[in-house]
């Protein structure tokens, strides 16, 4: 049986691209319902950068900007939640 993770998961990734805008931190917010969270963050003042969701390996996400122009993503994991199960 897998333990279910509860709480906030914070992943830090180093990237090779040079810094070109004012973002000092980029958040990827994992949610169970992409459409509902998209509507919620837009109602709170976010601007959507991607018209259609980006899809990769079962993950779906949109890129947004906050009112100051900082980018963040809202993503929905694949149905298996991206977990690797061991036998």
């Amino acid at each position: 049986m897998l333990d279910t993770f509860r709480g906030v998961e914070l992943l830090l990734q180093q990237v090779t691209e040079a810094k070109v805008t004012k973002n000092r931190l980029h958040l990827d917010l994992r949610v169970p319902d992409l459409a509902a969270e998209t509507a919620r963050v837009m109602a709170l003042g976010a601007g959507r950068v991607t018209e259609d969701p980006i899809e990769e390996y079962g993950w779906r996400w949109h890129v947004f900007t906050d009112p100051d122009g900082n980018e963040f993503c809202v993503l929905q994991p694949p149905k298996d939640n991206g977990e690797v199960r061991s036998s």
Side-chain angles (χ1 to χ4, degrees), residues 25-87:
L25 178 70
H26 176 99
L27 296 176
D28 289 335
L29 308 172
R30 187 186 303 189
V31 299
D33 185 338
L34 182 61
E37 192 63 15
T38 294
R40 189 181 84 80
V41 299
M42 290 185 72
L44 291 170
R48 189 164 60 188
V49 174
T50 53
E51 183 65 30
D52 295 315
I54 299 167
E55 298 188 32
E56 188 173 291
Y57 302 110
W59 291 82
R60 299 176 64 237
W61 69 92
H62 277 292
V63 180
F64 295 93
T65 56
D66 69 16
D68 289 329
N70 298 302
E71 288 188 355
F72 66 97
C73 293
V74 172
L75 56 127
Q76 180 177 330
K79 297 216 184 297
D80 67 1
N81 199 23
E83 294 176 0
V84 177
R85 298 181 186 263
S86 59
S87 303

